[in-house]
């Protein structure tokens, strides 16, 4: 089955072609990040307009690179939630137009399901059940993946997502948007134990996260140091902040896998690219005898290959949409 995937939930216009779910024939991503960076974050109106400009050529390029004709495609998989509404609607309407004109099935894909599916592409033998930590700019979820289309959310963030915290801390450190990668790079030359930032736990939600406190603690630390006239060691702050975030992500992911007695553990989402997270998780999984699946960097951030891959499993479960398909800013998994 050859599927075209379309992803426009945030600031990446992406299209991809996959064969039987896991084989990627092409994956094209047009990022708007440099455009939004001058505003310090994604401007929704600009994102929608840029998607409109890019979508046609991105889809054409994906078909060209895959060496497939429109007549070879068996279905169109598109992200319908969660995300920026105006941005989602561009991809959804483009997919609807293709579905109508080519008489092809329309397959709605939840963005987080797509992130989880990025691991199927990277690891052809990986099958549910497994536990997945999805950490991105908009989400931080620990998910029990029971089947390809069956999920149990064990925990999620109660305030900021992990990536959002990285981006906000990057901003106060004077680093460009999106800041996660810059904090990551800076942290390599800092000491993770230089400043103790809080690690938050909840009695009534052992797998839930909270990252707004650690972000505020970083801001307060910078103010205090400035008031005292003491110089800032930005690398130490970046490393100590990263350690606080990574510690809770690793601890809760491992605890969830022990609780569910599931030995396969995976990572997904933009923050999955974080070097400290990958290092610490590898160590923790090694110590606990867990098998860890880390997606390659090109599949961590938003892309359409993961959408087409998940679309294959949605289609197998007969999860199709008609032309009334809408976009949703938030939608449960
Ligand atoms: O999955 P993604 O591309 O988009 C969303 O669905 O949100 O994730 C983007 C997020 C941003 O917050 C970005 O700063 C973060 O992932 N990110 C990182 C790294 N690379 C990207 N955070 C920490 N370390 C990184 N190396
Ligand atoms: Zn994403």
């Amino acid at each position: 089955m050859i599927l075209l995937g379309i992803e426009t939930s945030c600031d990446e216009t992406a299209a991809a072609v996959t064969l039987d779910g896991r084989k990627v024939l092409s994956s094209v991503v047009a990022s708007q990040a440099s455009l939004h960076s001058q505003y310090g974050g994604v401007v929704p109106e600009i994102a929608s307009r840029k998607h409109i400009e890019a979508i046609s050529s991105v889809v054409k390029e994906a078909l060209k690179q895959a060496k497939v004709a429109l007549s070879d495609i068996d279905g169109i998989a598109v992200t319908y939630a969660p995300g920026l509404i105006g941005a989602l609607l561009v991809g959804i309407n483009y997919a609807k137009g293709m579905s109508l004109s080519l008489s092809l099935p329309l397959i709605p894909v939840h963005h987080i399901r797509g992130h989880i599916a990025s691991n199927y592409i990277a690891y052809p033998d990986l099958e549910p059940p497994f536990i997945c930590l999805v950490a991105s700019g908009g989400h931080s979820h620990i998910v029990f993946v029971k089947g390809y289309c069956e999920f149990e959310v064990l925990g999620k963030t109660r305030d900021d997502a992990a990536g959002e915290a990285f981006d906000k801390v990057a901003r106060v450190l004077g680093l460009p948007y999106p800041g996660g990668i810059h904090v990551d790079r800076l942290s390599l030359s800092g000491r993770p134990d230089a400043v103790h930032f809080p690690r938050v736990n909840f009695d009534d939600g052992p797998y839930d996260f909270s990252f707004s406190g650690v972000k505020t603690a970083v801001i307060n630390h910078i103010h205090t140091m400035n008031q005292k006239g003491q110089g800032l060691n930005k690398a130490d702050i970046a490393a100590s902040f990263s350690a606080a975030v990574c510690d809770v992500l690793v601890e809760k992911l491992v605890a969830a896998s022990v609780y569910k007695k599931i030995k396969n553990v995976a990572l997904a989402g933009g923050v999955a690219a974080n070097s400290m997270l990958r290092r610490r998780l590898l160590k923790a999984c090694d110590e606990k005898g867990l098998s860890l699946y880390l997606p390659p960097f090109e599949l961590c951030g938003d892309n359409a290959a993961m959408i087409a891959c998940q679309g294959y499993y949605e289609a197998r479960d007969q999860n199709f949409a008609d032309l009334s398909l809408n976009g949703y800013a938030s939608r449960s998994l």
Side-chain angles (χ1 to χ4, degrees):
M1 182 191 275
I2 294 182
L3 292 184
L4 171 71
I6 295 178
E7 154 66 41
T8 61
S9 67
C10 191
D11 60 345
E12 262 94 27
T13 315
V17 179
T18 56
L19 172 66
D20 295 337
R22 300 190 181 217
K23 190 167 180 343
V24 180
L25 302 182
S26 69
S27 179
V28 177
V29 181
S31 178
Q32 310 170 0
S34 57
L35 189 69
H36 296 287
S37 118
Q38 59 188 299
Y39 306 104
V42 177
V43 182
E45 164 93 13
I46 294 175
S48 310
R49 289 174 180 277
K50 287 289 149 190
H51 285 312
I52 282 278
E53 286 172 14
I55 185 109
S56 245
S57 55
V58 167
V59 168
K60 267 191 197 141
E61 184 60 24
L63 294 171
K64 189 175 147 201
Q65 287 185 16
K67 298 190 177 63
V68 301
L70 286 175
S71 54
D72 298 325
I73 298 172
D74 299 303
I76 319 278
V78 63
T79 307
Y80 76 103
L84 302 171
I85 277 297
L88 284 167
L89 291 179
V90 174
I92 292 171
N93 268 347
Y94 199 87
K96 280 187 189 179
M98 289 190 82
S99 159
L100 179 66
S101 59
L102 299 167
S103 298
L104 289 173
L106 182 64
I107 309 159
V109 177
H110 191 288
H111 184 75
I112 296 179
R113 290 188 181 197
H115 271 302
I116 294 170
S118 62
N119 283 290
Y120 300 139
I121 297 169
Y123 302 99
D125 297 332
L126 177 65
E127 286 181 3
F130 59 94
I131 306 284
C132 189
L133 167 67
V134 188
S136 69
H139 316 278
S140 301
H141 283 53
I142 293 183
V143 182
F144 177 24
V145 184
K146 295 177 172 176
Y148 288 105
C149 300
E150 199 188 346
F151 305 87
E152 179 186 342
V153 176
L154 301 174
K156 56 185 176 183
T157 184
R158 296 193 178 187
D159 41 56
D160 292 357
E164 196 179 346
F166 268 99
D167 293 339
K168 286 176 179 168
V169 164
R171 196 193 297 200
V172 296
L173 289 176
L175 301 169
Y177 172 88
I181 178 117
H182 301 288
V183 174
D184 189 354
R185 284 185 192 143
L186 188 59
S187 73
L188 296 176
S189 54
R191 292 170 302 145
D193 53 358
V195 190
H196 182 81
F197 292 123
R199 278 93 167 139
V200 176
N201 286 302
F202 299 99
D203 289 339
D204 60 341
Y207 312 110
D208 278 354
F209 303 107
S210 165
F211 296 114
S212 79
V214 63
K215 171 200 68 189
T216 308
V218 171
I219 294 169
N220 289 344
H221 174 78
I222 293 174
H223 281 164
T224 310
M225 299 302 275
N226 282 339
Q227 271 173 355
K228 287 182 180 167
Q230 293 177 354
L232 286 180
N233 186 326
K234 290 188 178 183
D236 277 354
I237 296 172
S240 301
F241 158 76
S242 301
V245 172
C246 293
D247 275 357
V248 284
L249 290 174
V250 170
E251 189 188 305
K252 287 170 194 269
L253 177 57
V254 169
S257 88
V258 171
Y259 162 60
K260 285 289 178 186
K261 300 189 177 62
I262 298 285
K263 291 225 170 257
N264 283 350
V265 169
L267 205 54
V271 181
N274 185 265
S275 61
M276 189 186 286
L277 180 60
R278 293 169 85 99
R279 266 197 320 275
R280 291 191 175 199
L281 203 49
L282 268 169
K283 186 166 176 283
C285 288
D286 195 40
E287 283 167 8
K288 293 277 179 193
L290 305 173
S291 303
L292 177 62
Y293 296 84
L294 293 173
F297 293 115
E298 70 273 15
L299 288 173
C300 291
D302 289 347
N303 65 86
M306 67 185 195
I307 301 302
C309 176
Q310 179 62 23
Y312 171 79
Y313 294 103
E314 301 289 345
R316 234 177 45 167
D317 269 22
Q318 303 294 311
N319 293 337
F320 297 112
D322 62 24
L323 293 178
S324 66
L325 178 67
N326 212 334
Y328 300 91
S330 64
R331 194 78 162 175
S332 63
L333 202 59

